Amino acid sequence: MPRRTKLKRILKYAILGLVHKQEMSGYDITSQFKQEIGQFWSAKHSQIYPELKKLTEEGLIEYRTSITGAKLEKKLYCITPKGTRELTEWLLSPKELPETEKDAFMLRLYFSAAISREESKRLFGDQMAKRKEKLEHLYESKQSLQLLEEQPHSPDSPQFGHYLVLSRAINREESYIAWLEETLTLFEES
Ligand code: FER
């Protein structure tokens, strides 16, 4: 129960962060959760619209209505000064370390005495292939970021935050793969 409240609160800041960057429709915001942000912080379509309504009622965001077609209206949201204050307050108040993320692969390893060495090796091989695929995707994202801007690694770049999240993900996956490779050699040796 407390966990759910916490997640909802974080969604609030994710939305504030997005509309702080630029004016966005509900659809734009949902798309962001399907693409970039969704890679490390997922949110469902069904959570986003109620949160937008709530944030509007709280005066943290506001919208103007834009007419796009003959009858099509869409709401374009932007952050209010009060919303910006809450966003920056959240950015500046780091909390305790979150619980270690659930990892089903770790759980399988923990109990792997129940399967044969060959089967364990297959489990590792499968994990390695998936991690390598993820790493490839991350490298591609990093390349796109560099195409967008020459110096995303500069703290002055508007893409710097994106670059940091991406470089941390690459660092994590490279290290994970190195550990998988190292562990596979243990299977070969004994
Ligand atoms: C992105 C592509 C992938 C991105 C983040 C990720 C921030 C993945 C992050 C992770 O696995 O932690 O464009 O942008």
Side-chain angles (χ1 to χ4, degrees), residues 17 87 89 101 106 125 133 137 150-151 167 184-185 187:
L87 173 66
E89 198 179 305
E101 216 177 303
M106 287 299 134
E133 205 177 300
H137 168 68
E150 258 175 62
Q151 296 208 310
S167 70
L184 262 179
T185 65
F187 281 112

Side-chain angles (χ1 to χ4, degrees), residues 66-78:
S66 135
I67 316 281
T68 46
K71 281 203 184 117
L72 278 178
E73 283 190 353
K74 65 176 176 180
K75 290 175 179 166
L76 287 173
Y77 293 92
C78 67

Side-chain angles (χ1 to χ4, degrees), residues 36 39-40 134 137-138 141 162 165-166 169 172:
E36 246 163 70
Q39 309 273 341
F40 58 95
K134 167 136 198 183
H137 168 68
L138 291 168
S141 299
H162 189 169
V165 174
L166 210 43
R172 183 192 67 224

Side-chain angles (χ1 to χ4, degrees), residues 20-33:
H20 179 258
K21 283 212 259 189
Q22 65 189 78
E23 193 178 55
M24 282 190 185
S25 67
Y27 175 80
D28 297 331
I29 292 169
T30 309
S31 307
Q32 285 291 312
F33 279 100

